[in-house]
Amino acid sequence: MAYSAGTLPEAMNLIVAAHVSMCDECRAAVEAYDAVGGALMDNVDAVEPLSDECLSNALALIQQTDLDPVLARPERKDPKVPLPLENYIGGRLEDVRWRSIGMGVKQSIIPTSSEATARLLYIPAGMAVPDHGHNGIELTLVLQGAFEDEDGRFACGDMEVATEDLQHTPIADISEDCICLAVTNAPLRFNSFLPRLIQPLLRI
Amino acid sequence: MFRNYDIDLADMPIAVAPAAYRRSSSHVKILEQPKVSTDRDIDPVAYWAECLVRIRDDRDQKAFVEVFQYFGPRVKSFLMKSGADAAVAEDCVQDVMTTVWRKAHLFDPTRASVSTWVFTIARNRNIDIARRQRRPEPEDLSWGPQPEPEQTEVIGLQQETQRLGQVLASLPKEQRTMVEKAYFGDLSHSEIAAETGLPLGTIKSRIRLALERLRKGLT
């Protein structure tokens, strides 16, 4: 709903748009929420009158404007990367510049507005991200492979929504290295000492 | 290639929404009925979809003016509720309406009503302007030019939209206010709590309840 209302930080819009590109059910849900927005806008109690110039300016503008050309839908450069994400990382997963964060896990931070942080995470097959809780929301969308935690198994296209209540240790499937898009709006709470120590350096 | 449009504003009919859509609000100017009497009895969702077809196929400026005069003030009202001042809101209305003119061929009546479509354009424009942020959009579903939509699908969507409007109107005032704030107030759930003095859990469950009712009203 917040995606539809347009009230989310940029990083969260990004992950929702990426997930919706991979999940028809959630696309339908988003469009239903858009319809609520449309109906609310339609049924306002009092409308704001417009100045006369507003219409005459718009009419002047449309005289010089024809229908936009219909562009063919662009192809994904990497079948694993939905287009809204591709627009941020520029191309393929194999071209991502990873930085190690320890135990074989790598990350790459995606620049967005500061209210929330988006990063790609690379978890080698069978490896775990240290046990942690959440001070806010953590959204995790699987782009390759799969992972499992206390909440269940998440495969390609699935998105896990972790809130303050969830304490988890995500473990990548043994079959394939797992790549995820993860968005947080507050730092994670690691339980062991070492991750806590290096946490500020990694902005995680 | 541009066609030559010679149009005199004074000759424009004042847009009057179909009977079911008119409100008695003092803000709305209701003047004469449009001369085309067949427009009056048609379902409003279908009526606006038809205006978009006229804009798309005939580049019909009269249809544009009607859409503008009906939706423009509503878009302005939405933007002002989201915190824009009147001047910014009017600039944005202008952008939104010219976008409607440019993208009329991308409107798909099987997936959205004109209100919904205009709402999404206004919301995105508002994010661009107010927050200077990009808003990532999902991949498009369509591949290349679409065939003319199936009439039954169009009618189905129109009926659902009508019912959504009715359900929304019949929500208890308290719940309706919650949903409105979430959409227009640009408030997060915790900010709603601060503004209304209600605890967060209550807010969340009320919003869910309101949306559940909305959904049940549709099925």
Side-chain angles (χ1 to χ4, degrees), chain A residues 4 6 31 42 51 73, chain B residues 21 70 90 111 123 131 140:
Chain A
S4 177
E31 290 186 12
D42 213 347
S51 66
R73 191 183 97 152
Chain B
Y21 254 27
Y70 181 76
E90 287 217 352
R111 277 174 67 194
R123 172 199 62 202
R131 300 211 251 150
D140 221 328

Side-chain angles (χ1 to χ4, degrees), chain A residues 31 37 44 52-53 66 68 72-73 94 108 121 123 166 170 187:
Chain A
E31 290 186 12
V44 283
D52 295 340
E53 297 84 67
D66 216 331
D68 283 355
R73 191 183 97 152
E94 53 199 52
S108 170
L121 280 177
I123 314 164
L166 180 73

